[in-house]
Each structure stands twice: as structure tokens, then as C-alpha cells.
Amino acid sequence: MARDEKRPNRPALKLHVPEPPYRPGDTPDYSNIEVPAAGEAPRPDSACDDKETIPLTTHLVRVLDDDHKAVGPWDPKLSVDVLKKIYRDMVTVRVFDDRMYRAQRQGKTSFYMKCTGEEAIAISAAAAMDSEDIHFPTYRQQGLLVYRGYPLVKMMCQIYSNAGDHMKGRQLPIMYSDKEKGFFSISGNLATQYPQAVGWAMASAIKGDSRIAMGWIGDGATAEGDFHAAMTFASVYQAPVILACVNNQWAISSFSGIAGAEQATFASRAVGYGMAGLRVDGNDVLAVYAATRWAAERARSNNGPTFIEFFTYRAEGHSTSDDPTGYRPKEESEAWPLGDPVLRLKNHLIALGEWDEDQDKGQEEELTAMVRAAQKEAEKLGVLSDQGDEGKETMFEDVYADMPWHIAEQRDAALKEGE
Amino acid sequence: MNMIQALNDAHKVAMRADEDIVVFGEDAGYFGGVFRVTEGLQQEFGKQRAFDAPISENGIAATAVGMAAYGLKPVIEIQFADYIYPAYDQIVSEVAKMRYRTAGEWTMPMVIRSPYGGGIYGGQTHSQSPESLFTHIAGLKVVVPSTPYDAKGLLLAAIEDPDPVIFFEPKRIYNGPFGGHHDQPVEAWAKRPEAEVPEGHYTVPLGKANVVREGEALTVLAYGTMVHVAKTAMEEAGIDAEILDLRTLVPLDIEAIEASVKKTGRCLIVHEAPRTSGFGAELSALVTERCFYHLEAPVERVTGWDTPYPHSYEWTYFPGPARIKKALEKVMAQ
Ligand SMILES: Cc1ncc(C[n+]2csc(CCOP(=O)(O)OP(=O)(O)O)c2C)c(N)n1
């Protein structure tokens, strides 16, 4: 039948292409997002049947209420010391992001990605895991390294691809890796690390180890096949893994509806895999901590994997190469109903009587000075733009454990090219 | 032993010696794989070390990455090489690049085994030879055995290798060598010396070709099933050919190739994969670059055609002795 031959009694079919509710010029209004009260979500036992978590895949686990108090069954009752450490690291990441963003604008490196608005997630998750557990992160989890005490200078050297970069300038800035700190190498190919985390967890189970893994993905990347492979393997083998999805509403210029968020919450994808699932206020440090801790306990006691959607908002551009005013209203991040995670924690500390504005100002100054000093230190080893070709023979190393003849020949040819 | 038994034996030898080796793939656990290469492993080593995987090639490759990162040594089976494409991104972007991108901080010692090649009436989705897709990727080693003896020794070497190895098993010769005449009975491996597979541990080093037959008239470069087909063709043509079984495509034994071509002055390359951008193109370029002044005639390639693998015209597609002899005439005429 010819393609344009219409059948008279049948309606013409239409393709549904999701559109975000607001575009540049519109006034954002997030009243459509249901924000349940803090403390409302029930907290089942971490060894519960996965089905008990089904209601939690559409709800939102929240702990910090509007009066900055921790309420409800998910309150992890963290000590003030831990809260202060988390807060300090969140501010550090924010200062670090700003400095590195500027460094990129100054031409000192090629690229940078901030996690502004999402600081609570990586840092609080890191706090809830054991230091020996491993993370298979994506590129907005710099907080994991900061929480684990990774030297900022080393992070910056990687961003500058300078002589202090232990990956020899082979990775895009922010694609950190550190075996010691349990931070797996980040790939530029989205979602690849997700099923890898499951494999690591399976290996840990095979060896009767007690360490668990946490895999990370963005909302947009859940559409990749690797996401489904990870979910399948995690569920089939009941791998001791936590699979985190950071739903920051945007995948570059595509809103989360393009990855399926109009049809179902990301958290509810756990249900079809027979996996425990939680949907969590990602701007609430305490909720992130509690959920991660719950899932870690579950994994550690052979009760299986958990899929967690951290509901948050990417307050800045996707990367230094992105201008978000081209696809979303400028004021959108302020309209975001879950607030700023850094501010929320600060207010919580103040409400507890453990913090005040003076202390806050003092800490910010201290951290700014620290980051600045680290930057100076890192820049002593050079920045990307002034890397010459000294040491260029190293680019032929590490392709294999031993250099085969054809690469050795090409190295020799490359070294002669300049002569 | 036939090649399946030799490969199975290699798994057992390796797994007995190293507790960190785990084997998995579709049907690879309880049943031992559709070609039975992993038969008995689950029974001997338990379900934690030999198990069935979901039908998810990228999942298989990706979880192997995680396991290698942990410190295990995964030996994974992709049921047919035609199904390796879903795993291609993990293999190319992750497995192959990990050592390089982390400057050796994380390495990916693993073996990705897969039956490959045609001549079994497998149609286009059970017959492909995708080796050049992998030889093109820095960071991978690519191995193709042609005898039971080599299969066991090469697999053990691959398992012990610190780098990831793609191990393509020519399924046409799993049970016996194949000379390319589909209308003639095939000899069993049992009647061949290459089927005498020693017990216990031995390796055939990666990167070393095997001179299958010495000769003066020309050099034939082949691997996998084509080693046997080329042998048949040369015997039928009654020509004193030197036949090199490359065994490893990356790293390649360039010394053996150079020495042979310089001696004979003529070179014929035979592979099953399609011609355009096939591994034969690489071989031809290398031989031309390195042996040009020793060559009496242009390098000639005999390959599969640049079409998907056809089911009913399989024997028109398959590079058999007739096509090889024709190319031989061309090489020898000059
Ligand atoms: C396989 C793959 N496809 C496309 C890209 C290009 N890309 C980089 S980030 C990105 C958006 C990712 O969005 P999301 O997963 O929501 O994470 P977010 O950036 O919001 O944290 C895209 C399309 C990529 N890196 N890898």
C-alpha cells in the first residue's frame, strides 16, 4: 500500500514528543511537582522484601523540614561532627567548582563540569558508605573524592593534564580515577560504568568479601542499554550493589521526559526488576545519607541491590561548553522546590545551634584560601595550555603491559618527526 | 582431543591453578555452552566460578570489566561472534582503553572467547569473521587458533596475559580440520598429530606465528580455518608453498612474515572475512612496505566477498581451494 494512501475510518496516528513545561521566556512554576512533607515516608527494614519499597518509588524520602529540623523515621541521627564534615566538603566542592570553571574560562584547561545544586548527593553518599567500598562514578561525583580526602592538588593536576596528573594527560578533565580511594575510572561513554559496578559487586560476592559497590548514572543516560544490563545483572545475581540515578532534570538540553520521566518515576524502574527502589530528595543531605545507608545495609547483608533515584536539579550549565539559557528559563533553578542543598544543611546546623553566620563566613574564607593555594600548587606543574611536547614518548606507553613492535616503531617515528 | 576438548582442558588447567578465574556466558554454566567448551566447569568449580549469564552481551562484557577491576580474571564466552556487537562499546571503549586512560592504574586482564567464522550453514548471523574490528582497536590482543594443540596453549597464554585478549575460535574446525571441500568427508582431529594435546599446563606464546609447512615457491599467510583450506589448495596445486599460520593477529609476528616473504618473493593472503578493510589489507600493506624489493609479484588476497554472509550460497561465499588456486596462478605467473 502506498504510504500516503489514507484509510478513511481510522484516526491519523501522532508521535508524542515530550516537551518540558517551560522554555526560555516562560515563567517557571514547579507547583506540579509533588513535594511530600519531610518525615512522611515510612522506613521499612533494610532486609524487607523488595515489594515493600514499591510505594517509596513514587514518593520522596525527605528528612529536613521547612523549619530546618530533621524529622521522621528516615532521620539518620548523624552526629554534629559528621554533619559539619559533610557541610565543609559541600562548600569545598562549590568553591572548587567555581575556581575550576574560571580556570577553564581563563584558558588553563579545555573543559569543566560543575555539580552545583547536587553537592549533597555524592558527599552524603560517600559519608554513608565505608571507605573500603568502591564507587563507579559518572562525572558529577567529584564530591566522592573530596569526602574521601583526595588531595585537591591532584584533582587539579588531572584537570590541567600536567606533570602531576597520574593518568599522564590521557583523560578529559574531571574524568578522575583513583584506585586507592575506591574511585573507578570515569568513562566519556555514558552509562558504561553502571553494569561495571554490578560486575565488581558480583566479584566481591564471589570472593566472599564484605565490600560493596555503588554505581552512578544520570537521568538521561538511563536510556542506554547498559542501564538495563546493570539492572538485570544486579537483580539476577542479587549483587551487593547500590545503583544510584541522579535525576537532575536535564541531560544537556533534553529534559528528563526525553528519558521517560513523563511515564514513570525513574525509581519505579526498580519494581520491574524485582529490586528495592527509593526516590529521595537529593537536596536533602540527611535523606541522601539515610537512603544510601539503608541500601548499603541491605547489600551488605545479602539482601540484594537497591536502585535509588536522587531527585535534584542541575543549577548550572551542563558543562563549560553549554549555555542553558538556550533551552530553559533563566529563573528555573530558583523556582526549584527543593531548595539549595548547601543552604539547607547550613540552616539545619544553625537550627541545631551548632553554626552561625560568622562561622560560616570564616569557613568559606578558609576554604577559598585552601582551594586557591591548591590551585597555585597545581599550576606550578603547568596548565593544559602550556603543555609542550616534552615527554611525548609517554603517549605510546600503557597501551599494553609490554610495548609491541608496531607501537615501538611508531613511537620512534613520532620522536623523529620533530627533528 | 578435538579443539573443543582442548579448549575445555585449557579452562580446567587454568582454573585449577588460579582461583580468581571465573567463567560465564550465555548457557556457559550448567550446560557448558552450546558448543560445550565450558562443559563440566560448573560441576568441578562450582556456581560461583562458572555460571550462566543473561542474554546481554554488553552486560557480560561490562560485568567482566567490574570483575577485572576487582582483581578477578574473567574468561567470558560470547556465544557467537555475530553477537559481539552489543558488547562492542564495552570492549572498545572500556576494556581496550582502561590501562591507557588510567596509565596502568586499572588493568583489564580478561579473555573474551567467541566461536566465529563460516562454513557451517549458519547464515549471516552465525558465520561472521569480525576480527578486523578488533585488530583496529589499540589495547586489544587478537588470537585465532587453528589446531587443538594451539588452541589449548594459546588459550592458556591468553588467560595468563596481563592484557585483554579477544579469542576467536574457528567453529568450522572445532571437530576436525576442514580443507574447504564441503562435499568431501572431513577427517576427525583424532587422526592428526596436532590433536595430541599434552596433559597439564603448557602455553603457545602470543605473537608467534607457526610455519605450518616450509617451502620456497611462495608464502601463504592464513589463520583459523583458512590454514587448512590453504594447505589443501597448495597440495592440490602441487606447489612448494610456505604456509604461515599467524595464530595471533595482534601482536603480529612480523619477523616470521618478513623472513618468509623475503625468502620466497611471493605472498598470498587468505582469510574468510570480507575483503574491504579486512585484516588481509593490513597484511598486504605490511608486506609491501617491508618486502617490496624482494617481491616478484604483487601481493594477492583471497577473502570472503563484501556481502553479508549468504545462507544458500555459502559455498560461493566461502574462500575455498578453487578460489585460492586461481589467485595462486596469478601470483606465480609473474
Ligand atoms: C554514549 C554517550 N552518548 C552521548 C554522550 C554525550 N553526552 C555527554 S553528557 C550527556 C547528557 C547526560 O545527561 P544525564 O545522564 O542526565 O547526566 P547529567 O549530565 O545531567 O548529570 C550527553 C548526551 C556521551 N558522553 N556518551
Side-chain angles (χ1 to χ4, degrees):
Chain A
M1 200 200 292
R3 215 211 295 183
D4 50 6
E5 206 176 297
K6 299 248 162 61
R7 277 145 294 174
N9 297 325
R10 299 187 192 177
L13 298 172
K14 278 201 186 100
L15 183 72
H16 171 66
V17 179
E19 265 301 315
Y22 312 106
R23 285 298 194 189
D26 295 339
T27 307
D29 169 11
Y30 274 113
S31 53
N32 63 318
I33 293 184
E34 262 181 66
V35 180
E40 207 182 82
R43 184 186 183 281
D45 191 90
S46 65
C48 74
D49 191 276
D50 61 84
K51 288 176 195 67
E52 270 189 63
T53 66
I54 292 177
L56 293 169
T57 61
T58 49
H59 203 85
L60 202 58
V61 172
R62 304 181 74 230
V63 174
L64 284 171
D65 71 8
D66 294 343
D67 300 325
H68 315 301
K69 298 253 166 54
V71 294
W74 285 93
D75 176 8
K77 302 207 164 31
L78 292 181
S79 73
V80 170
D81 283 352
V82 172
L83 286 175
K84 283 187 175 166
K85 152 87 173 143
I86 291 175
Y87 182 59
R88 188 184 165 84
D89 287 347
M90 286 171 76
V91 176
T92 303
V93 165
R94 198 162 274 194
V95 174
F96 183 92
D97 272 0
D98 279 339
R99 300 269 344 156
M100 291 296 99
Y101 185 89
R102 245 186 287 169
Q104 191 276 340
R105 287 294 185 251
Q106 291 163 346
K108 291 174 179 172
T109 188
S110 57
F111 180 76
Y112 192 73
M113 286 175 118
K114 291 174 152 190
C115 66
T116 312
E118 302 172 35
E119 292 91 343
I121 296 166
I123 290 169
S124 217
M129 298 283 276
D130 279 4
S131 58
E132 289 189 330
D133 295 331
I134 192 168
H135 288 278
F136 281 72
T138 162
Y139 45 69
R140 257 184 252 284
Q141 279 82 48
Q142 52 267 58
L144 296 172
L145 283 171
V146 171
Y147 185 86
R148 288 185 168 185
Y150 196 65
L152 301 184
V153 178
K154 282 184 88 172
M155 289 172 75
M156 289 168 173
C157 287
Q158 198 275 314
I159 291 164
Y160 291 141
S161 286
N162 66 16
D165 172 12
H166 77 284
M167 288 182 284
K168 303 186 188 169
R170 307 239 178 90
Q171 276 278 50
L172 203 62
I174 64 132
M175 304 259 171
Y176 313 106
S177 168
D178 198 80
K179 203 171 188 172
E180 277 273 294
K181 293 285 180 202
F183 188 99
F184 191 67
S185 160
I186 298 174
S187 176
N189 291 34
L190 292 173
T192 51
Q193 76 292 341
Y194 218 48
Q196 293 167 0
V198 177
W200 196 98
M202 287 169 68
S204 188
I206 287 168
K207 295 309 270 186
D209 198 338
S210 60
R211 294 174 296 163
I212 63 172
M214 187 160 182
W216 295 82
I217 200 166
D219 51 289
T222 58
E224 288 284 359
D226 274 330
F227 171 80
H228 304 278
M231 298 293 276
T232 301
F233 278 68
S235 157
V236 166
Y237 300 106
Q238 291 291 290
V241 66
I242 304 173
L243 291 171
C245 167
V246 180
N247 174 5
N248 64 7
Q249 314 303 321
W250 290 94
I252 313 185
S253 72
S254 304
F255 87 120
S256 56
I258 293 292
E262 276 186 351
Q263 281 73 19
T265 65
F266 290 100
S268 65
R269 296 189 182 188
V271 178
Y273 289 96
M275 201 188 292
L278 302 172
R279 188 162 174 268
V280 176
D281 177 350
N283 290 17
D284 177 340
V285 164
L286 298 179
V288 172
Y289 185 99
T292 309
R293 192 58 172 221
W294 185 93
E297 245 173 58
R298 186 175 176 82
R300 242 183 265 291
S301 47
N302 285 310
N303 285 300
T306 304
F307 179 71
I308 308 179
E309 173 185 357
F310 292 118
F311 197 68
T312 183
Y313 186 83
R314 192 195 78 213
E316 298 254 355
H318 171 76
S319 72
T320 46
S321 314
D322 176 46
D323 175 11
T325 60
Y327 52 83
R328 68 184 190 188
K330 254 200 192 102
E331 313 76 26
E332 205 182 64
S333 74
E334 280 118 69
W336 181 247
L338 299 177
D340 172 5
V342 177
L343 204 59
R344 280 175 74 187
L345 179 54
K346 176 181 149 183
N347 287 333
H348 177 54
L349 281 165
I350 291 174
L352 289 175
E354 295 289 346
W355 200 247
D356 60 37
E357 291 294 348
D358 278 349
Q359 267 174 295
D360 200 63
K361 202 159 163 265
Q363 174 169 281
E364 175 138 7
E365 277 165 14
E366 181 210 332
L367 295 176
T368 304
M370 179 181 87
V371 170
R372 207 177 274 177
Q375 188 179 8
K376 242 188 190 158
E377 193 68 30
E379 288 180 7
K380 275 188 201 154
L381 296 170
V383 296
L384 178 68
S385 46
D386 58 39
Q387 296 303 304
D389 57 4
E390 200 184 315
K392 67 182 173 188
E393 68 280 359
T394 65
M395 77 174 251
F396 295 93
E397 294 165 4
D398 307 309
V399 182
Y400 299 93
D402 297 311
M403 194 180 290
W405 65 269
H406 62 286
I407 296 179
E409 276 191 7
Q410 290 167 25
R411 174 200 56 199
D412 296 346
L415 293 179
K416 280 207 191 93
E417 266 179 1
E419 284 170 14
Chain B
M1 276 186 197
N2 63 26
M3 196 185 283
I4 292 169
Q5 292 159 334
L7 290 163
N8 182 260
D9 194 40
H11 278 90
K12 287 183 174 159
V13 169
M15 290 176 86
R16 281 174 197 147
D18 183 352
E19 286 200 339
D20 287 338
I21 296 172
V22 290
V23 174
F24 60 107
E26 292 155 24
D27 305 294
Y30 181 81
F31 183 60
V34 292
F35 290 101
R36 321 311 308 277
V37 170
T38 58
E39 187 171 23
L41 300 184
Q42 185 169 86
Q43 287 70 15
E44 180 173 345
F45 302 103
K47 284 203 291 193
Q48 303 281 307
R49 294 185 61 198
F51 52 89
D52 292 322
I55 302 170
S56 169
E57 291 75 15
N58 70 325
I60 293 168
T63 49
V65 169
M67 291 181 196
Y70 179 92
L72 297 190
K73 174 149 277 197
V75 180
I76 57 176
E77 177 174 291
I78 302 293
Q79 202 159 68
F80 288 86
D82 313 71
Y83 307 129
I84 209 163
Y85 308 117
Y88 198 57
D89 179 50
Q90 283 286 341
I91 297 171
V92 170
S93 310
E94 306 297 306
V95 175
K97 308 283 198 289
M98 201 63 71
R99 178 189 292 278
Y100 190 73
R101 81 177 189 221
T102 66
E105 183 173 75
W106 303 90
T107 59
M108 289 288 120
M110 69 168 76
V111 180
I112 301 171
R113 288 183 37 246
S114 193
Y116 94 114
I120 53 131
Y121 288 109
Q124 58 186 268
T125 57
H126 298 81
S127 304
Q128 293 171 66
S129 298
E131 66 274 16
S132 70
L133 298 180
F134 297 94
T135 58
H136 194 58
I137 305 300
L140 301 175
K141 294 182 176 175
V142 181
V143 175
V144 187
S146 75
T147 67
Y149 178 90
D150 281 2
K152 178 175 172 183
L154 286 166
L155 183 55
L156 279 164
I159 291 173
E160 287 160 23
D161 199 89
D163 289 308
V165 179
I166 311 288
F167 197 91
F168 281 129
E169 299 164 7
K171 57 184 172 292
R172 185 64 185 82
I173 54 171
Y174 265 157
N175 291 304
F178 178 61
H181 294 299
H182 61 284
D183 45 357
Q184 289 173 19
V186 171
E187 221 181 325
W189 275 119
K191 299 195 177 138
R192 297 294 202 98
E194 309 95 301
E196 277 169 32
V197 174
E199 274 183 37
H201 180 271
Y202 71 94
T203 57
V204 171
L206 305 189
K208 284 271 167 280
N210 185 25
V211 182
V212 174
R213 185 178 186 280
E214 287 192 35
E216 301 291 333
L218 86 159
T219 298
V220 179
L221 304 179
Y223 50 92
T225 305
M226 285 302 137
V227 172
H228 305 280
V229 181
K231 240 158 101 180
T232 304
M234 294 305 136
E235 275 156 23
E236 285 173 4
I239 193 142
D240 182 25
E242 179 145 304
I243 303 177
L244 257 62
D245 173 1
L246 299 177
R247 297 199 289 208
T248 308
L249 308 187
V250 178
L252 187 65
D253 190 348
I254 193 67
E255 279 178 25
I257 295 171
E258 236 183 292
S260 179
V261 175
K262 282 182 178 163
K263 179 177 84 173
T264 64
R266 289 182 162 84
C267 181
L268 180 66
I269 295 158
V270 193
H271 65 58
E272 288 184 63
R275 168 170 301 236
T276 301
S277 302
F279 194 66
E282 179 61 33
L283 290 171
S284 169
L286 280 169
V287 167
T288 308
E289 282 164 7
R290 286 165 192 262
C291 310
F292 185 75
Y293 295 105
H294 299 263
L295 286 173
E296 309 281 343
V299 178
E300 193 63 34
R301 283 181 288 164
V302 180
T303 68
W305 308 125
D306 286 338
T307 67
Y309 210 102
H311 184 242
S312 62
Y313 298 115
E314 172 151 62
W315 299 111
T316 308
Y317 185 89
F318 194 88
R323 199 182 307 163
I324 296 175
K325 280 186 267 181
K326 212 166 204 170
L328 176 68
E329 277 168 29
K330 221 171 138 190
V331 178
M332 297 311 294
Q334 294 173 60

